[in-house]
Amino acid sequence: TARDSNRVWRSVAMSANGQYQTAVTDGGQIYTADIPTSIVVISPNGGEKFVAGNVYEVSFEPRKIQGDNLMFFVYLKTENINVLTKEIARISNNRTGTKSFQWTVPTDLKSGQYKIAVVCQDPGTGHCGDEAGFISDMSDNWFEIIAPPPCTGNPCVAVVYPNGGETLIKDQ
């Protein structure tokens, strides 16, 4: 919400027939503008801690991306390396809206800082929908992958979360 001398402006996102737009109102009049074709990584998007061997949700939202043969390639990017280091999933564009999958963090990954990158491309044309080339997004910040805690005893039981330092809120 922003104010100028005579109006209060509110920005809202809306989808009309699958077309994303942003709308700004000044109380009565609505002004709209198209949101560009894009991909938005939802999670992990920075600050999370993933334990190797555990399962976590990875999700992203394609915006205004249409096409029957499109593939979304999901990669890991490692800190201090300027290339996408490991493909972790391929997802077809067979449904609209947010796309997600359950990812088991490989136990052979080194502990460290990572980002998720999602790249859209039609393997036949090299394009992403109506756009020339590909469209991509990456986690806004680094998330951490840590080794599982050492396990002793038989059977082995390890507390993964909470394991110290967390603040827990009752009934949440």
Side-chain angles (χ1 to χ4, degrees), residues 27-147:
Q29 183 68 33
I30 297 176
Y31 306 92
T32 62
D34 287 338
I35 293 175
T37 303
S38 63
I39 297 172
V40 177
V41 172
I42 297 170
S43 72
N45 205 30
E48 299 90 344
K49 283 190 179 190
F50 287 5
V51 178
N54 288 1
V55 178
Y56 299 92
E57 181 176 81
V58 175
S59 62
F60 60 94
E61 181 182 6
R63 295 183 176 169
K64 289 181 64 174
I65 295 176
Q66 299 175 352
D68 295 331
N69 298 319
L70 297 180
M71 293 293 293
F72 295 96
F73 300 87
V74 184
Y75 297 94
L76 275 181
K77 181 184 184 313
T78 307
E79 186 177 36
N80 300 324
I81 297 177
N82 290 327
V83 296
L84 303 178
T85 55
K86 183 177 179 94
E87 182 180 317
I88 62 170
R90 288 184 185 191
I91 299 175
S92 65
N93 194 32
N94 59 1
R95 61 182 171 87
T96 59
T98 300
K99 300 189 183 319
S100 64
F101 62 95
Q102 298 298 307
W103 177 50
T104 302
V105 178
T107 55
D108 63 347
L109 283 177
K110 293 173 67 175
S111 293
Q113 301 291 314
Y114 292 86
K115 288 185 177 184
I116 291 289
V118 179
V119 177
C120 168
Q121 197 167 29
D122 180 327
T125 66
H127 295 193
C128 180
D130 296 332
E131 303 291 323
F134 61 88
I135 296 172
S136 65
D137 189 36
M138 190 176 299
S139 303
D140 290 340
N141 291 298
W142 299 101
F143 65 94
E144 186 176 7
I145 293 178
I146 59 175

Side-chain angles (χ1 to χ4, degrees), residues 14-27:
M14 57 194 244
S15 175
N17 300 326
Q19 300 299 313
Y20 286 88
Q21 294 182 322
T22 188
V24 179
T25 68
D26 69 354

Side-chain angles (χ1 to χ4, degrees), residues 146-163:
I146 59 175
C151 200
T152 59
N154 191 9
C156 180
V157 176
V159 175
V160 175
Y161 182 86
N163 67 354

